[in-house]
Amino acid sequence: MLITYELAQQIVDHILPIVQQNVNIMNSSGLIMGSGQKNRINTYHQGAKEVIARGEVVEIHPDELALFPGALPGLNWPIILDKQIVGVVGVSGDPAAVRSTAKLVKMVTELILERESLLEGFRSNLQLKEHFVQLLLSGKWEDCSAQIKSTAQLLRFTLELPRAAAVANIRPLLDTACSQYGTHDLVMARARDVLTQSIERSELIDERDLVIVTEDKCIIFKHFSQAAEPAVLQNWGQQFQALLNREYSNAGFSLGLGSLTNSPEQLYTSYTEALFACRQTDVHAVPGTIYHFDVLTAYLLASGSRTSACLAFQNLRTKITTRLGKKYDLQNTINTLLEHNLNVSSAAKALFIHRNTLVFRLEKLQELTGLCPAQFLNHAILCKLLFQKPGNCYDRDFFAEENRK
């Protein structure tokens, strides 16, 4: 780590009120970068050059000043960071009298520099994460895939793992911080840093996940098993929301989760679903997920029923086609039920089947998917999108293929 003039002077200003002795911070060239005697800044200090050359403490007594141009009596210690000498700290005065003080100054200086080094690494890593998330959420995988892959390698982020996006609204936390400490960029930045560290330390996040706090949102790309059911995602979301409320005295966080993805290019879609679910969820309410039928229906209607872009919808459709196929004549059954305004008896007549037969078919659908179109409007809307006839839907190619099987 290179010590800047600004940082050197900050260290000196921090230490001076404590030790009541002049303190100098010098670089490897022997130049004074920070001092309690401002007129000495940027002047040469032979004692510091000797410390760098020998790697040990240099004491300068009054009768030795001729040997050390630019120096005053005192002690000069090497500043060591990561087992390397990065500079020199000097304390003016009789060496015997300031020896204990100089040791303290050296220790404090190294602690400050160590903290700055950690913060610098944290800031660099954070900037890299922010850049990575911006690329992922640009929605331009084909244009940015090379950049995304190279940045993922730098972050040691395995792109190919199945993940779901989660979005938390942290505005209540920021509002609380501002009300306590005032509206200031530093307050906001500190609140975001503390939140990030709290989340990353929790058992709900591991090295395969990515957490980023930006503006008033917390975005997480969370790894799950490929076989994870929606209930697993919901349970994780509830635990995560409980963690936030526990750490921040029930400040109130709304949380949304998107679909579980199969490939990294789908993370953008999962994010848009999670963001929508978050906005649909009230503060203090249980997390909203795109797998919840009310959220899914609202999402599809808001996006113009572009069902091919919604992973949760496609997963639901795949479940129906792979496990039920053409059994129970479901496509015709559901469309007839919708045409008869969800009236089971009327639909059964039109299908020339017994009412109980229709009820049985609907029970099979509910058993597999949880959909109950005869009882819930949003379920009926989803069924219309899932089973609508090829000539009247956005996904006619899908059903045409299914009919050829």
Side-chain angles (χ1 to χ4, degrees), residues 170-191:
I170 63 165
R171 175 50 57 187
L173 166 63
L174 299 179
D175 289 343
T176 300
C178 289
S179 66
Q180 291 178 342
Y181 306 108
T183 304
H184 195 284
D185 288 345
L186 289 176
V187 173
M188 305 283 271
R190 178 60 178 162

Side-chain angles (χ1 to χ4, degrees), residues 251-288:
F253 298 88
S254 55
L255 177 68
L257 289 100
S259 300
L260 183 60
T261 63
N262 300 312
S263 59
E265 54 263 42
Q266 293 176 330
L267 285 172
Y268 169 71
T269 301
S270 183
Y271 166 77
T272 60
E273 294 171 352
L275 183 60
F276 183 88
C278 180
R279 290 172 175 168
Q280 291 284 303
T281 306
D282 292 332
V283 173
H284 298 300
V286 296

Side-chain angles (χ1 to χ4, degrees), residues 158-226:
T158 306
L159 281 168
E160 291 72 25
L161 292 176
R163 290 186 175 86
V167 176
N169 173 23
I170 63 165
R171 175 50 57 187
L173 166 63
L174 299 179
D175 289 343
T176 300
C178 289
S179 66
Q180 291 178 342
Y181 306 108
T183 304
H184 195 284
D185 288 345
L186 289 176
V187 173
M188 305 283 271
R190 178 60 178 162
R192 293 187 184 102
D193 289 347
V194 171
L195 174 63
T196 302
Q197 292 167 22
S198 296
I199 294 172
E200 290 181 337
R201 284 197 303 265
S202 77
E203 295 180 355
L204 298 173
I205 298 295
D206 61 34
E207 68 279 359
R208 297 169 295 183
D209 307 324
L210 187 142
V211 179
I212 189 79
V213 177
T214 171
E215 297 300 328
D216 58 356
K217 293 189 294 293
C218 174
I219 302 169
I220 301 172
F221 293 116
K222 172 65 186 171
H223 165 68
F224 292 96
S225 163
Q226 187 63 67

